[in-house]
Amino acid sequence: MTQKILTSIQNISATFIGTSNAIDIDSVSIDSRSLQNGPKTLFFALVGANTDAHRYIADLIAIGVQNFVVTHIPDDCTGKANFYVVANTLSALQQFAATYRSLFAFPVIGLTGSNGKTIIKEWLNFLLSPDYNVIRSPKSYNSQIGVPLSVIAINEKHNLGIFEAGISTVCEMDKLEKIIKPTIGILTNIGTAHDEGFAGVSDKIREKVKLFQDAQVVIYNKNLAIDALISSEISRFCWSYTDSNASVLITKKGILDKTVLTVQQENTQFEIKIPFQDEASVENAISCLMVLLYFKYEKKTIQNRMELLYPVEMRLKVKNGINNCSIIDDSYSSDFQSLKIALDFLESQKQYERKTLILSDIFQSGLPNDVLYSKVAELIVSNRISRVIGIGETISAFKNMFANCTTFKNTAAFIADFENMEFSNETILIKGARSFQFEEIVYLLEEKTHETVLEINLNAISYNLNFFKSKLKPKVKIMVMVKAFGYGNGGLEIAKLLEHHKVDYLGVAFADEGISLKNGGINLPIMVLNPENTSFSAIIQHQLEPEIYCLKGLYAFLKIAKQKNLKHFPIHIKFDTGMHRLGFEENTLNELITALKGNSNVQIKSILSHLATSDDLEHMDFAHSQIALFEKLSSKLMTELQIKPLRHILNTSGISNFSDAQYEMVRLGIGLYGVSNDAQEQKQLENVGTLKSVISQIRTIGAGESVGYGRRFIAEKPTKIATIPIGYADGISRGWGNGVGFVMIKNTKAFIVGSICMDMLMVDVTGIECKEGDAIVIFGENPTVTFIAQKLNTIPYEILTSISQRVKRVFYR
Ligand SMILES: *Cc1c(COP(=O)(O)O)cnc(C)c1O
């Protein structure tokens, strides 16, 4: 263990309980799933509103992790590892990082602001990396947890840091400042993100500039409100389009798809070109330019490098690949830290056993190449990568360090040999430095379909799950309904996430849904709501658990159970308490009891019923009568059979509205997917699915011309029309056409004109700056599924589950 890590641990003021304090630690982890966890990991058991990493400690000890920072030692773990006991594990992590950072003395750029942080960080890395060994926050690691993790990755060879700080409410920045300790501050655009946490704009700025309290200089777009809030002891290096008091005055003009900036600083003036036109990118580029000017780069170098700025992919994306592969596209960076993150992400996908890593040379590790590539080799082994394809001169030279590895001198050589390689039924992580242009490899491997996707935010699902868990009384279990492909969002991927979160049960509608989850590797118990008698054998074979709702079904199942000589096979008994859909009625209770008394082939795992009006407080009395009848029927069954199974009657709305009836379990459905029937609650959930497409073609039609089948739209004036490749066969209701509905293009509404076709629809984009290939949003944060459902006189459930399976699902975190 290095002295610096030792010093940092000592500074968290923990009580040490363990066997050997002289431990050897080389990495820090908060992610129980990471395959990189091992004997040299220091694991911080973070506790969130509803997540508690203490429950994974026993599992981690089993795989060899020895060192934990905890608030308490879990019962079964005493004496089995080293524990640093603290009052708050997040504060300890932050303290650890702050100490660690204080032991390094190179310049550090700290970025904050509402927009553009990650892009500016990535661009600065690109612009400065020819001259520095840069350590930067990976992806958008800018939170109370992300910042410490970023800083902990510093090593002896780095000589410039770039870290971003994001806050959502007051008091957070002080903590981040202590960890980042920037010497150079950049305040990016102050927009409206996270406004709820602040009283007003100046509150927000005041909080943000706390990041710069000990900086030598702050770079920002000159503005009087900001000037007033920055301490007079800090020097300012600001730019403006208009204010000649700024250190740098900039004028801009657009030429084709580029922008030419005229830069005037004191007595010098010169021009640079950047390959963007939109205002946000131009501002972000100017922030980068200011850093180059502050570092006194030559005009020529600035011009050359700025012209090469590129669009930044903000997050890891999972895409469908050729031959059933799935592809994780991280083709824009290749440094050691982001490789670790990408490998963790790969593992969390758990899509296929077989995993291929396509990796370019790695830059800026700060390590000598032999040390670097042996560390990479270790990572590859611990993440159980089946095959490595190395591209680049350096990685080729270290080929021997990897098992099952093919190498190529450059990307072109790989592409030339592509036809001779096999890619099928595997997950492929594509990770390369920008200069390797791995986007060409992504293009080759990507399944070519039309460009409509439903993007699913897995973090939002976790968030919503925890939100509902927080409403449960202690010990109440949770079954999550993943029927109909997880309400249209993707069945297996979501089930895997839920398994990680240790939910207690999954619920599906039909046996084949359950079978495909089991075949996909899901081990959670799965209840089948509507098992047909013909599927009973398959249910037993795949260890699914049927809901039994009538005598006929019961007798059929008991017969098979007896034939197969089953012992205590789990079943679930459903009562009809007023929904009148499925379930035993009161008058069949005695026969039910008789049939089950003394039967040891099956075991009643749970008793359930379903509310008809949990979302409608007008029918409160009805719901209460259902709950009362459920209480009566289930109690009688339990007494007569002398059993104590789980009982459950609440769905999403029930969890919120009838918390007294949680019994031993609840069944969460739509809420997980970010939709609530209650407007207030809706605000507390995170959006999960975003349905996106692109513009295929744009044309302008004259007054009097029409659009689409039946000429339902006639232009009154010259009108710009864009065609989008999504139609009613993809699940867009025809009722949403003809001026009722709209899509969002660059945050502007574009109304649908004419009738929606099977595979396409047309929108009016007059006055909206857009071009063919631009992305559009059909639903997501705006408009929401709930909004569309209201306008179409239906419910969000129908909108979500209607999106057809031909629309590609893309999952990201
Ligand atoms: C679908 C379903 C649920 C979940 O309902 P939500 O309103 O989506 O929470 C619960 N129980 C049963 C029996 C269901 O069919």
Side-chain angles (χ1 to χ4, degrees):
M1 166 166 52
T2 73
Q3 187 56 40
K4 288 187 166 110
I5 291 183
L6 187 60
T7 311
S8 309
I9 295 183
Q10 281 161 354
N11 257 8
I12 63 176
S13 33
T15 310
F16 179 78
I17 302 177
T19 44
S20 80
N21 201 352
I23 38 181
D24 188 12
I25 290 171
D26 71 357
S27 67
V28 163
S29 169
I30 58 160
D31 179 0
S32 61
R33 276 175 295 182
S34 175
L35 291 177
Q36 293 153 26
N37 295 325
K40 294 188 176 183
T41 301
L42 176 63
F43 186 85
F44 283 79
L46 299 186
V47 182
N50 286 287
T51 52
D52 183 354
H54 288 81
R55 22 185 203 139
Y56 302 111
I57 289 179
D59 296 351
L60 287 165
I61 293 176
I63 60 161
V65 180
Q66 274 298 304
N67 303 293
F68 297 89
V69 178
V70 295
T71 58
H72 62 276
I73 303 177
D75 288 346
D76 46 348
C77 298
T78 316
K80 296 185 180 157
N82 299 315
F83 293 98
Y84 294 86
V85 184
V86 295
N88 179 319
T89 45
L90 176 58
S91 304
L93 176 67
Q94 293 170 338
Q95 180 58 48
F96 179 91
T99 308
Y100 189 74
R101 158 73 182 96
S102 71
L103 303 173
F104 294 89
F106 51 73
V108 167
I109 300 174
L111 291 143
T112 193
S114 305
N115 301 310
K117 296 185 287 289
T118 304
I119 294 171
I120 297 174
K121 182 198 69 196
E122 290 301 312
W123 281 351
L124 281 177
N125 174 58
F126 168 76
L127 294 165
L128 297 170
S129 59
D131 314 302
Y132 294 91
N133 254 325
V134 180
I135 170 79
R136 68 190 197 281
S137 335
K139 298 282 157 194
S140 315
Y141 271 36
N142 64 23
S143 66
Q144 298 287 312
I145 297 172
V147 168
L149 291 178
S150 306
V151 165
I152 289 167
I154 302 176
N155 71 33
E156 309 288 343
K157 296 292 167 31
H158 293 121
N159 56 17
L160 176 69
I162 311 176
F163 299 107
E164 50 175 301
I167 53 171
S168 49
T169 177
V170 289
C171 298
E172 291 184 347
M173 192 57 95
D174 275 326
K175 294 181 192 154
L176 299 186
E177 191 273 337
K178 291 196 179 72
I179 305 171
I180 299 177
K181 278 283 168 219
T183 53
I184 300 166
I186 300 178
L187 184 64
T188 73
N189 175 290
I190 295 280
T192 53
H194 301 296
D195 263 347
E196 319 80 47
F198 302 91
V201 174
S202 73
D203 260 12
K204 196 157 74 168
I205 301 174
R206 186 171 301 120
E207 182 69 18
K208 296 204 167 169
V209 301
K210 285 185 181 162
L211 179 62
F212 311 132
Q213 50 193 275
D214 276 338
Q216 290 150 13
V217 63
V218 183
I219 292 170
Y220 60 100
N221 182 353
K222 189 166 176 55
N223 157 318
L224 295 178
I226 300 177
D227 286 343
L229 292 168
I230 294 181
S231 142
S232 57
E233 280 153 44
I234 302 169
S235 70
R236 298 122 196 264
F237 188 55
C238 39
W239 64 275
S240 175
Y241 290 131
T242 51
D243 185 342
S244 54
N245 288 324
S247 333
V248 177
L249 192 63
I250 290 181
T251 46
K252 58 167 180 166
K253 65 174 185 284
I255 295 181
L256 296 174
D257 52 352
K258 295 189 193 308
T259 302
V260 176
L261 301 177
T262 309
V263 182
Q264 189 178 341
Q265 183 186 17
E266 288 159 12
N267 299 323
T268 57
Q269 179 173 329
F270 63 99
E271 286 190 347
I272 61 170
K273 275 202 214 87
I274 52 172
F276 298 98
Q277 283 221 311
D278 64 286
E279 186 48 43
S281 299
V282 173
E283 269 192 38
N284 293 337
I286 294 173
S287 292
C288 296
L289 166 72
M290 292 296 285
V291 174
L292 298 186
L293 290 173
Y294 182 76
F295 281 180
K296 302 209 175 343
Y297 268 90
E298 303 259 324
K299 181 180 91 181
K300 196 90 212 107
T301 315
I302 297 179
Q303 286 166 330
N304 289 343
R305 292 191 190 167
M306 295 287 294
E307 200 169 353
L308 296 176
L309 291 181
Y310 54 92
V312 173
E313 194 61 70
M314 305 283 284
R315 50 198 194 202
L316 288 172
K317 281 201 171 148
V318 189
K319 301 174 172 174
N320 292 342
I322 54 171
N323 306 327
N324 270 329
C325 290
S326 77
I327 299 176
I328 299 173
D329 176 3
D330 197 4
S331 57
Y332 285 95
S333 67
S334 146
D335 50 282
F336 188 65
Q337 197 55 20
S338 72
L339 175 63
K340 291 176 80 165
I341 292 174
L343 286 169
D344 272 342
F345 182 77
L346 172 69
E347 171 57 18
S348 70
Q349 291 305 305
K350 285 203 165 67
Q351 244 138 347
Y352 294 108
E353 275 296 310
R354 225 167 101 86
K355 298 185 257 184
T356 292
L357 168 65
I358 303 182
L359 181 65
S360 77
D361 289 349
I362 294 179
F363 299 124
Q364 297 189 307
S365 68
L367 302 169
N369 278 334
D370 52 341
V371 178
L372 167 67
Y373 286 99
S374 73
K375 277 179 163 257
V376 171
E378 270 174 38
L379 271 185
I380 286 172
V381 170
S382 58
N383 281 280
R384 302 189 201 121
I385 300 299
S386 334
R387 162 169 71 155
V388 179
I389 298 174
I391 299 180
E393 308 257 344
T394 319
I395 196 166
S396 297
F398 290 95
K399 179 179 173 179
N400 292 340
M401 292 192 163
F402 310 105
N404 194 12
C405 174
T406 327
T407 55
F408 297 90
K409 284 262 176 302
N410 52 40
T411 307
F414 170 85
I415 291 174
D417 204 34
F418 184 73
E419 287 300 311
N420 302 322
M421 283 187 279
E422 271 260 352
F423 293 95
S424 70
N425 298 303
E426 61 195 301
T427 308
I428 307 167
L429 170 61
I430 301 175
K431 178 108 190 91
R434 168 121 191 111
S435 56
F436 283 86
Q437 299 191 321
F438 274 11
E439 60 273 18
E440 294 181 22
I441 299 179
V442 173
Y443 180 79
L444 282 177
L445 284 169
E446 217 179 341
E447 186 184 40
K448 310 287 177 298
T449 51
H450 64 143
E451 275 151 322
T452 298
V453 294
L454 181 57
E455 286 191 351
I456 309 294
N457 180 348
L458 295 172
N459 284 355
I461 293 185
S462 305
Y463 181 92
N464 296 334
L465 175 67
N466 287 328
F467 172 81
F468 285 99
K469 276 195 188 165
S470 75
K471 299 191 161 230
L472 302 184
K473 303 190 172 145
K475 304 237 157 81
V476 173
K477 293 185 189 309
I478 190 160
M479 172 184 286
V480 178
M481 308 309 290
V482 292
K483 57 197 184 195
F485 296 101
Y487 290 45
N489 293 282
L492 185 57
E493 292 77 7
I494 291 174
K496 283 187 166 155
L497 183 67
L498 295 169
E499 183 155 271
H500 166 70
H501 283 296
K502 303 197 178 204
V503 306
D504 300 283
Y505 256 97
L506 297 179
V508 296
F510 299 106
D512 51 0
E513 296 178 327
I515 291 169
S516 81
L517 293 182
K518 288 279 179 188
N519 285 342
I522 298 296
N523 293 315
L524 284 176
I526 301 176
M527 181 180 88
V528 181
L529 287 172
N530 197 355
E532 287 125 301
N533 293 6
T534 48
S535 67
F536 282 157
S537 284
I539 283 186
I540 293 167
Q541 187 196 335
H542 290 92
Q543 301 267 309
L544 300 169
E545 304 181 11
E547 167 189 300
I548 304 291
Y549 53 82
C550 65
L551 289 168
K552 196 160 153 233
L554 178 68
Y555 292 134
F557 193 80
L558 289 181
K559 187 166 160 208
I560 295 197
K562 189 158 177 222
Q563 278 165 2
K564 298 200 188 249
N565 205 9
L566 301 180
K567 286 269 163 306
H568 307 296
F569 194 90
I571 63 169
H572 302 260
I573 298 293
K574 181 180 232 169
F575 284 117
D576 177 11
T577 55
M579 172 87 176
H580 298 334
R581 188 170 70 177
L582 294 178
F584 288 96
E585 287 169 34
E586 185 165 9
N587 62 17
T588 56
L589 182 57
N590 287 334
E591 196 174 339
L592 174 66
I593 290 168
T594 315
L596 285 170
K597 213 167 225 166
N599 185 307
S600 63
N601 295 129
V602 299
Q603 179 195 11
I604 301 181
K605 275 303 277 271
S606 85
I607 308 177
L608 67 149
S609 186
H610 194 46
L611 296 178
T613 60
S614 65
D615 59 339
D616 187 352
L617 297 181
E618 241 178 69
H619 295 289
M620 191 89 149
D621 289 347
F622 186 76
H624 280 304
S625 75
Q626 280 197 272
I627 293 169
L629 183 57
F630 180 61
E631 173 66 35
K632 179 174 154 202
L633 300 178
S634 60
S635 301
K636 173 132 193 240
L637 185 62
M638 290 182 351
T639 323
E640 291 286 335
L641 298 180
Q642 294 184 358
I643 53 171
K644 266 207 147 320
L646 304 170
R647 285 184 292 175
H648 43 115
I649 189 168
L650 300 182
N651 64 342
T652 302
S653 308
I655 295 173
S656 309
N657 293 336
F658 299 92
S659 58
D660 285 344
Q662 290 177 356
Y663 287 97
E664 290 78 38
M665 187 152 80
V666 296
R667 298 188 303 272
L668 177 65
I670 193 96
L672 184 79
Y673 310 100
V675 176
S676 170
N677 296 307
D678 178 90
Q680 224 30 53
E681 186 170 87
Q682 181 66 58
K683 289 193 192 141
Q684 296 171 271
L685 299 179
E686 285 194 0
N687 181 61
V688 169
T690 304
L691 182 58
K692 289 184 166 175
S693 191
V694 293
I695 297 176
S696 307
Q697 195 180 22
I698 296 182
R699 61 165 54 71
T700 299
I701 60 170
E705 293 191 70
S706 65
V707 173
Y709 288 121
R711 306 195 70 196
R712 295 283 168 72
F713 173 81
I714 312 261
E716 286 170 6
K717 53 181 191 330
T719 302
K720 196 162 83 164
I721 300 291
T723 301
I724 318 285
I726 184 168
Y728 59 77
D730 299 291
I732 308 299
S733 163
R734 282 185 81 247
W736 197 230
N738 290 312
V740 176
F742 54 87
V743 306
M744 298 299 290
I745 301 179
K746 306 214 162 131
N747 287 321
T748 312
K749 280 183 195 177
F751 278 89
I752 301 175
V753 290
S755 296
I756 293 179
C757 312
M758 186 184 290
D759 314 302
M760 276 169 275
L761 56 82
M762 280 70 84
V763 295
D764 180 350
V765 292
T766 312
I768 301 178
E769 201 188 302
C770 59
K771 56 183 190 305
E772 291 167 3
D774 280 354
I776 67 108
V777 171
I778 292 133
F779 65 65
E781 282 196 45
N782 179 26
T784 61
V785 170
T786 310
F787 175 88
I788 297 179
Q790 274 161 1
K791 294 280 170 206
L792 289 176
N793 252 326
T794 178
I795 51 175
Y797 301 74
E798 185 178 354
I799 307 278
L800 276 180
T801 55
S802 299
I803 301 309
S804 85
Q805 285 301 308
R806 85 173 180 187
V807 173
K808 175 156 79 159
R809 268 70 173 169
V810 176
F811 300 88
Y812 71 94
R813 278 163 212 278

PDB file of all heavy atoms in Angstrom, residues 184-199:
ATOM      1  N   ILE A 184      -7.540  26.188 -11.007  1.00  0.00           N
ATOM      2  CA  ILE A 184      -8.133  26.962 -12.097  1.00  0.00           C
ATOM      3  C   ILE A 184      -9.618  26.602 -12.136  1.00  0.00           C
ATOM      4  O   ILE A 184      -9.964  25.421 -12.194  1.00  0.00           O
ATOM      5  CB  ILE A 184      -7.492  26.576 -13.441  1.00  0.00           C
ATOM      6  CG1 ILE A 184      -5.990  26.856 -13.396  1.00  0.00           C
ATOM      7  CG2 ILE A 184      -8.164  27.294 -14.608  1.00  0.00           C
ATOM      8  CD1 ILE A 184      -5.231  26.199 -14.529  1.00  0.00           C
ATOM      9  N   GLY A 185     -10.475  27.614 -12.075  1.00  0.00           N
ATOM     10  CA  GLY A 185     -11.908  27.318 -12.068  1.00  0.00           C
ATOM     11  C   GLY A 185     -12.539  27.694 -13.398  1.00  0.00           C
ATOM     12  O   GLY A 185     -12.130  28.666 -14.034  1.00  0.00           O
ATOM     13  N   ILE A 186     -13.499  26.891 -13.825  1.00  0.00           N
ATOM     14  CA  ILE A 186     -14.267  27.279 -15.012  1.00  0.00           C
ATOM     15  C   ILE A 186     -15.740  27.236 -14.638  1.00  0.00           C
ATOM     16  O   ILE A 186     -16.233  26.211 -14.150  1.00  0.00           O
ATOM     17  CB  ILE A 186     -14.038  26.313 -16.186  1.00  0.00           C
ATOM     18  CG1 ILE A 186     -12.564  26.285 -16.567  1.00  0.00           C
ATOM     19  CG2 ILE A 186     -14.891  26.726 -17.391  1.00  0.00           C
ATOM     20  CD1 ILE A 186     -12.267  25.309 -17.707  1.00  0.00           C
ATOM     21  N   LEU A 187     -16.425  28.352 -14.848  1.00  0.00           N
ATOM     22  CA  LEU A 187     -17.864  28.364 -14.638  1.00  0.00           C
ATOM     23  C   LEU A 187     -18.494  28.264 -16.016  1.00  0.00           C
ATOM     24  O   LEU A 187     -18.318  29.151 -16.851  1.00  0.00           O
ATOM     25  CB  LEU A 187     -18.276  29.658 -13.937  1.00  0.00           C
ATOM     26  CG  LEU A 187     -19.755  29.754 -13.566  1.00  0.00           C
ATOM     27  CD1 LEU A 187     -20.127  28.694 -12.538  1.00  0.00           C
ATOM     28  CD2 LEU A 187     -20.072  31.138 -13.018  1.00  0.00           C
ATOM     29  N   THR A 188     -19.207  27.178 -16.253  1.00  0.00           N
ATOM     30  CA  THR A 188     -19.830  27.014 -17.570  1.00  0.00           C
ATOM     31  C   THR A 188     -21.184  27.702 -17.534  1.00  0.00           C
ATOM     32  O   THR A 188     -21.569  28.297 -16.528  1.00  0.00           O
ATOM     33  CB  THR A 188     -20.012  25.520 -17.913  1.00  0.00           C
ATOM     34  OG1 THR A 188     -21.079  25.003 -17.114  1.00  0.00           O
ATOM     35  CG2 THR A 188     -18.752  24.728 -17.637  1.00  0.00           C
ATOM     36  N   ASN A 189     -21.896  27.555 -18.611  1.00  0.00           N
ATOM     37  CA  ASN A 189     -23.214  28.162 -18.733  1.00  0.00           C
ATOM     38  C   ASN A 189     -24.118  27.857 -17.526  1.00  0.00           C
ATOM     39  O   ASN A 189     -24.206  26.735 -17.064  1.00  0.00           O
ATOM     40  CB  ASN A 189     -23.799  27.576 -20.027  1.00  0.00           C
ATOM     41  CG  ASN A 189     -25.200  27.984 -20.253  1.00  0.00           C
ATOM     42  OD1 ASN A 189     -26.089  27.548 -19.545  1.00  0.00           O
ATOM     43  ND2 ASN A 189     -25.392  28.829 -21.237  1.00  0.00           N
ATOM     44  N   ILE A 190     -24.780  28.896 -17.000  1.00  0.00           N
ATOM     45  CA  ILE A 190     -25.708  28.703 -15.876  1.00  0.00           C
ATOM     46  C   ILE A 190     -27.111  28.597 -16.443  1.00  0.00           C
ATOM     47  O   ILE A 190     -27.719  29.592 -16.818  1.00  0.00           O
ATOM     48  CB  ILE A 190     -25.657  29.918 -14.914  1.00  0.00           C
ATOM     49  CG1 ILE A 190     -24.296  30.038 -14.259  1.00  0.00           C
ATOM     50  CG2 ILE A 190     -26.757  29.816 -13.881  1.00  0.00           C
ATOM     51  CD1 ILE A 190     -24.061  29.123 -13.103  1.00  0.00           C
ATOM     52  N   GLY A 191     -27.626  27.416 -16.542  1.00  0.00           N
ATOM     53  CA  GLY A 191     -28.967  27.255 -17.110  1.00  0.00           C
ATOM     54  C   GLY A 191     -29.974  26.993 -16.017  1.00  0.00           C
ATOM     55  O   GLY A 191     -29.835  27.476 -14.906  1.00  0.00           O
ATOM     56  N   THR A 192     -30.961  26.195 -16.344  1.00  0.00           N
ATOM     57  CA  THR A 192     -32.031  25.984 -15.368  1.00  0.00           C
ATOM     58  C   THR A 192     -32.017  24.586 -14.767  1.00  0.00           C
ATOM     59  O   THR A 192     -32.908  24.237 -14.022  1.00  0.00           O
ATOM     60  CB  THR A 192     -33.394  26.205 -16.029  1.00  0.00           C
ATOM     61  OG1 THR A 192     -33.433  25.385 -17.189  1.00  0.00           O
ATOM     62  CG2 THR A 192     -33.601  27.644 -16.406  1.00  0.00           C
ATOM     63  N   ALA A 193     -30.987  23.786 -15.105  1.00  0.00           N
ATOM     64  CA  ALA A 193     -30.959  22.434 -14.543  1.00  0.00           C
ATOM     65  C   ALA A 193     -30.921  22.503 -13.021  1.00  0.00           C
ATOM     66  O   ALA A 193     -30.255  23.354 -12.457  1.00  0.00           O
ATOM     67  CB  ALA A 193     -29.730  21.677 -15.070  1.00  0.00           C
ATOM     68  N   HIS A 194     -31.618  21.615 -12.359  1.00  0.00           N
ATOM     69  CA  HIS A 194     -31.636  21.503 -10.898  1.00  0.00           C
ATOM     70  C   HIS A 194     -32.115  22.765 -10.208  1.00  0.00           C
ATOM     71  O   HIS A 194     -31.649  23.101  -9.130  1.00  0.00           O
ATOM     72  CB  HIS A 194     -30.251  21.150 -10.352  1.00  0.00           C
ATOM     73  CG  HIS A 194     -29.718  19.879 -10.897  1.00  0.00           C
ATOM     74  ND1 HIS A 194     -30.328  18.667 -10.658  1.00  0.00           N
ATOM     75  CD2 HIS A 194     -28.670  19.622 -11.694  1.00  0.00           C
ATOM     76  CE1 HIS A 194     -29.647  17.718 -11.275  1.00  0.00           C
ATOM     77  NE2 HIS A 194     -28.659  18.263 -11.914  1.00  0.00           N
ATOM     78  N   ASP A 195     -33.021  23.484 -10.807  1.00  0.00           N
ATOM     79  CA  ASP A 195     -33.466  24.710 -10.178  1.00  0.00           C
ATOM     80  C   ASP A 195     -34.208  24.497  -8.869  1.00  0.00           C
ATOM     81  O   ASP A 195     -34.187  25.356  -8.007  1.00  0.00           O
ATOM     82  CB  ASP A 195     -34.369  25.508 -11.136  1.00  0.00           C
ATOM     83  CG  ASP A 195     -33.564  26.580 -11.842  1.00  0.00           C
ATOM     84  OD1 ASP A 195     -32.432  26.826 -11.386  1.00  0.00           O
ATOM     85  OD2 ASP A 195     -34.064  27.149 -12.820  1.00  0.00           O
ATOM     86  N   GLU A 196     -34.852  23.338  -8.727  1.00  0.00           N
ATOM     87  CA  GLU A 196     -35.709  23.138  -7.541  1.00  0.00           C
ATOM     88  C   GLU A 196     -34.921  23.338  -6.247  1.00  0.00           C
ATOM     89  O   GLU A 196     -35.453  23.811  -5.260  1.00  0.00           O
ATOM     90  CB  GLU A 196     -36.320  21.738  -7.500  1.00  0.00           C
ATOM     91  CG  GLU A 196     -36.813  21.182  -8.824  1.00  0.00           C
ATOM     92  CD  GLU A 196     -35.688  20.621  -9.657  1.00  0.00           C
ATOM     93  OE1 GLU A 196     -34.873  19.862  -9.110  1.00  0.00           O
ATOM     94  OE2 GLU A 196     -35.611  20.944 -10.855  1.00  0.00           O
ATOM     95  N   GLY A 197     -33.648  22.925  -6.271  1.00  0.00           N
ATOM     96  CA  GLY A 197     -32.873  22.964  -5.041  1.00  0.00           C
ATOM     97  C   GLY A 197     -32.430  24.362  -4.622  1.00  0.00           C
ATOM     98  O   GLY A 197     -31.812  24.530  -3.591  1.00  0.00           O
ATOM     99  N   PHE A 198     -32.736  25.370  -5.428  1.00  0.00           N
ATOM    100  CA  PHE A 198     -32.209  26.700  -5.142  1.00  0.00           C
ATOM    101  C   PHE A 198     -33.324  27.738  -5.139  1.00  0.00           C
ATOM    102  O   PHE A 198     -34.317  27.605  -5.844  1.00  0.00           O
ATOM    103  CB  PHE A 198     -31.189  27.104  -6.200  1.00  0.00           C
ATOM    104  CG  PHE A 198     -30.043  26.160  -6.303  1.00  0.00           C
ATOM    105  CD1 PHE A 198     -30.092  25.097  -7.194  1.00  0.00           C
ATOM    106  CD2 PHE A 198     -28.954  26.310  -5.480  1.00  0.00           C
ATOM    107  CE1 PHE A 198     -29.044  24.208  -7.264  1.00  0.00           C
ATOM    108  CE2 PHE A 198     -27.901  25.411  -5.546  1.00  0.00           C
ATOM    109  CZ  PHE A 198     -27.941  24.360  -6.439  1.00  0.00           C
ATOM    110  N   ALA A 199     -33.102  28.800  -4.337  1.00  0.00           N
ATOM    111  CA  ALA A 199     -34.133  29.840  -4.257  1.00  0.00           C
ATOM    112  C   ALA A 199     -34.169  30.645  -5.556  1.00  0.00           C
ATOM    113  O   ALA A 199     -35.224  31.002  -6.045  1.00  0.00           O
ATOM    114  CB  ALA A 199     -33.859  30.745  -3.075  1.00  0.00           C
TER     115      ALA A 199
END
